[in-house]
Amino acid sequence: MVLTIAGSDNSGGAGLQADLKTFTTLGVYGTTAVTCVVAEHPGRVLNITPIAPERVGDQIRLVLEAFPVAAIKTGMLYSAEIIAAVAEAIGPALKRGVPLVVDPVMVASSGKVLMKKDAIVMLRKFIARASIVTPNRDEAALLWGREILNLETLEEAALALAKDFKFPYILAKGGHLKTGRAVDVLASSKGKLRHYSVKRIPGIDPHGTGCTYSAAIAAGLAKGLSMEQSVALGKRFITWALRKRFEIGPYQLLNQLPNL
């Protein structure tokens, strides 16, 4: 059983809707705590309405009270107040050793900033408690404080962030790099690097890739896989979702559904 703490995407391609599809397909039961209601479709975000931090905390506490949650995943947290409420509510679960997967939703694939400025400082404190953090290139650069232009600087950023934040693991994703292969770098606080690489699928850019990838990692951890195995599962799953994508009008939508 997995708990996702994330925003609601009415178009179904990202956020907790993408997470729930991913959990179901990978054979784990998904529960949710909604942080924001986002009015959007793949072409644009109209507005973001945050849920009251107290209500976010209530959702989390009730899920943890009733169910044996084996992994927690966070997505869009949006504000410093919501981050504080989430950190307090999941504290007892983290003390019991429940792994925390943090998708630091700060910058969308389109480059749009999805978090209030004052929340980024709070997020840096929050992610230090994570079992694994999964930033895209722009988010890793924002956390690192330097531009990431190629695989070498992506590796540097991953190692530096793992050391600075003392993350057990950080997965710096290279999907936005202009290379022939989509390479993600898993770094540990012990200085080890591992690459997860597939041939790039040209000409596509659906939203929700970060949500789906991190949700698959959380599903793997909930099923008792190691971190390396869970990341490998996530890479296979997001690659499948991209290859089997839906083409609806001008939009490309990830396919997190089972192969029926």
Side-chain angles (χ1 to χ4, degrees), residues 49 51 55 87 109 119 181 188 201 206 212 216 218 236 243 249:
T49 304
I51 304 299
R55 301 295 80 80
S109 298
R181 298 185 67 82
S188 75
I201 304 169
T212 300
R236 290 194 303 272
R243 287 177 177 160

mmCIF file of all heavy atoms in Angstrom, residues 49 51 55 87 109 119 181 188 201 206 212 216 218 236 243 249:
data_model
loop_
_atom_site.group_PDB
_atom_site.id
_atom_site.type_symbol
_atom_site.label_atom_id
_atom_site.label_comp_id
_atom_site.label_asym_id
_atom_site.label_seq_id
_atom_site.Cartn_x
_atom_site.Cartn_y
_atom_site.Cartn_z
ATOM 1 N N THR A 49 -5.242 25.846 -7.051
ATOM 2 C CA THR A 49 -5.929 26.188 -5.806
ATOM 3 C C THR A 49 -5.434 25.272 -4.694
ATOM 4 O O THR A 49 -5.699 24.066 -4.715
ATOM 5 C CB THR A 49 -7.454 26.023 -5.954
ATOM 6 O OG1 THR A 49 -7.911 26.823 -7.052
ATOM 7 C CG2 THR A 49 -8.163 26.439 -4.670
ATOM 8 N N ILE A 51 -5.139 23.355 -1.108
ATOM 9 C CA ILE A 51 -6.002 22.888 -0.030
ATOM 10 C C ILE A 51 -5.449 23.424 1.289
ATOM 11 O O ILE A 51 -4.229 23.588 1.450
ATOM 12 C CB ILE A 51 -6.035 21.346 -0.002
ATOM 13 C CG1 ILE A 51 -6.482 20.789 -1.359
ATOM 14 C CG2 ILE A 51 -6.925 20.831 1.117
ATOM 15 C CD1 ILE A 51 -7.855 21.209 -1.797
ATOM 16 N N ARG A 55 -6.190 20.539 6.416
ATOM 17 C CA ARG A 55 -6.954 19.468 5.761
ATOM 18 C C ARG A 55 -6.015 18.478 5.062
ATOM 19 O O ARG A 55 -6.314 17.289 4.993
ATOM 20 C CB ARG A 55 -7.929 20.064 4.750
ATOM 21 C CG ARG A 55 -8.946 21.054 5.326
ATOM 22 C CD ARG A 55 -9.927 20.407 6.310
ATOM 23 N NE ARG A 55 -9.375 20.227 7.651
ATOM 24 C CZ ARG A 55 -9.284 21.201 8.560
ATOM 25 N NH1 ARG A 55 -9.688 22.406 8.273
ATOM 26 N NH2 ARG A 55 -8.791 20.936 9.756
ATOM 27 N N ALA A 87 5.143 17.427 6.532
ATOM 28 C CA ALA A 87 6.284 16.948 7.311
ATOM 29 C C ALA A 87 5.841 16.484 8.699
ATOM 30 O O ALA A 87 6.286 15.435 9.195
ATOM 31 C CB ALA A 87 7.331 18.050 7.432
ATOM 32 N N SER A 109 7.977 20.189 -17.011
ATOM 33 C CA SER A 109 8.740 19.905 -18.228
ATOM 34 C C SER A 109 8.745 21.097 -19.172
ATOM 35 O O SER A 109 9.702 21.327 -19.913
ATOM 36 C CB SER A 109 8.145 18.683 -18.945
ATOM 37 O OG SER A 109 8.225 17.539 -18.124
ATOM 38 N N ALA A 119 8.392 28.652 -0.657
ATOM 39 C CA ALA A 119 8.285 27.223 -0.367
ATOM 40 C C ALA A 119 9.570 26.476 -0.695
ATOM 41 O O ALA A 119 9.819 25.391 -0.161
ATOM 42 C CB ALA A 119 7.128 26.613 -1.155
ATOM 43 N N ARG A 181 20.478 9.160 -25.969
ATOM 44 C CA ARG A 181 19.855 8.260 -25.003
ATOM 45 C C ARG A 181 19.328 9.074 -23.823
ATOM 46 O O ARG A 181 19.902 10.115 -23.468
ATOM 47 C CB ARG A 181 20.840 7.195 -24.512
ATOM 48 C CG ARG A 181 21.339 6.283 -25.641
ATOM 49 C CD ARG A 181 22.210 5.163 -25.126
ATOM 50 N NE ARG A 181 21.476 4.198 -24.304
ATOM 51 C CZ ARG A 181 20.742 3.204 -24.805
ATOM 52 N NH1 ARG A 181 20.635 3.036 -26.111
ATOM 53 N NH2 ARG A 181 20.117 2.358 -23.992
ATOM 54 N N SER A 188 24.401 7.883 -4.621
ATOM 55 C CA SER A 188 24.197 7.627 -3.200
ATOM 56 C C SER A 188 25.091 8.540 -2.385
ATOM 57 O O SER A 188 26.080 9.089 -2.894
ATOM 58 C CB SER A 188 24.501 6.165 -2.866
ATOM 59 O OG SER A 188 25.891 5.932 -2.865
ATOM 60 N N ILE A 201 13.166 8.469 -27.150
ATOM 61 C CA ILE A 201 12.019 8.441 -28.049
ATOM 62 C C ILE A 201 11.840 9.854 -28.593
ATOM 63 O O ILE A 201 11.477 10.768 -27.843
ATOM 64 C CB ILE A 201 10.749 7.979 -27.310
ATOM 65 C CG1 ILE A 201 10.990 6.612 -26.645
ATOM 66 C CG2 ILE A 201 9.560 7.915 -28.263
ATOM 67 C CD1 ILE A 201 9.892 6.193 -25.690
ATOM 68 N N PRO A 206 5.130 14.558 -23.285
ATOM 69 C CA PRO A 206 3.895 14.576 -22.491
ATOM 70 C C PRO A 206 4.160 15.021 -21.062
ATOM 71 O O PRO A 206 5.275 14.869 -20.551
ATOM 72 C CB PRO A 206 3.442 13.114 -22.536
ATOM 73 C CG PRO A 206 4.709 12.350 -22.697
ATOM 74 C CD PRO A 206 5.618 13.200 -23.534
ATOM 75 N N THR A 212 4.784 9.902 -12.770
ATOM 76 C CA THR A 212 4.658 8.480 -13.069
ATOM 77 C C THR A 212 5.919 7.719 -12.679
ATOM 78 O O THR A 212 5.848 6.630 -12.088
ATOM 79 C CB THR A 212 4.357 8.298 -14.564
ATOM 80 O OG1 THR A 212 3.124 8.963 -14.867
ATOM 81 C CG2 THR A 212 4.261 6.847 -14.951
ATOM 82 N N ALA A 216 6.157 4.868 -9.691
ATOM 83 C CA ALA A 216 6.600 3.498 -9.931
ATOM 84 C C ALA A 216 7.717 3.101 -8.979
ATOM 85 O O ALA A 216 7.766 1.955 -8.502
ATOM 86 C CB ALA A 216 7.059 3.358 -11.385
ATOM 87 N N ALA A 218 8.064 4.272 -5.923
ATOM 88 C CA ALA A 218 7.388 4.051 -4.640
ATOM 89 C C ALA A 218 6.689 2.703 -4.614
ATOM 90 O O ALA A 218 6.698 2.003 -3.587
ATOM 91 C CB ALA A 218 6.389 5.178 -4.376
ATOM 92 N N ARG A 236 11.743 1.306 -16.453
ATOM 93 C CA ARG A 236 11.026 0.463 -17.409
ATOM 94 C C ARG A 236 9.590 0.938 -17.587
ATOM 95 O O ARG A 236 9.061 0.990 -18.700
ATOM 96 C CB ARG A 236 11.029 -1.001 -16.946
ATOM 97 C CG ARG A 236 12.369 -1.691 -17.025
ATOM 98 C CD ARG A 236 12.215 -3.201 -16.883
ATOM 99 N NE ARG A 236 11.553 -3.606 -15.659
ATOM 100 C CZ ARG A 236 12.179 -3.827 -14.502
ATOM 101 N NH1 ARG A 236 13.494 -3.667 -14.422
ATOM 102 N NH2 ARG A 236 11.502 -4.200 -13.433
ATOM 103 N N ARG A 243 6.255 4.948 -24.709
ATOM 104 C CA ARG A 243 6.153 4.236 -25.987
ATOM 105 C C ARG A 243 4.706 3.916 -26.356
ATOM 106 O O ARG A 243 4.340 3.929 -27.532
ATOM 107 C CB ARG A 243 6.975 2.954 -25.934
ATOM 108 C CG ARG A 243 8.484 3.198 -25.986
ATOM 109 C CD ARG A 243 9.260 1.909 -25.870
ATOM 110 N NE ARG A 243 10.697 2.170 -25.986
ATOM 111 C CZ ARG A 243 11.646 1.343 -25.557
ATOM 112 N NH1 ARG A 243 11.315 0.188 -24.985
ATOM 113 N NH2 ARG A 243 12.920 1.640 -25.711
ATOM 114 N N GLY A 249 -5.714 14.381 -30.465
ATOM 115 C CA GLY A 249 -5.594 15.711 -31.050
ATOM 116 C C GLY A 249 -4.136 16.130 -31.060
ATOM 117 O O GLY A 249 -3.261 15.357 -31.455
#
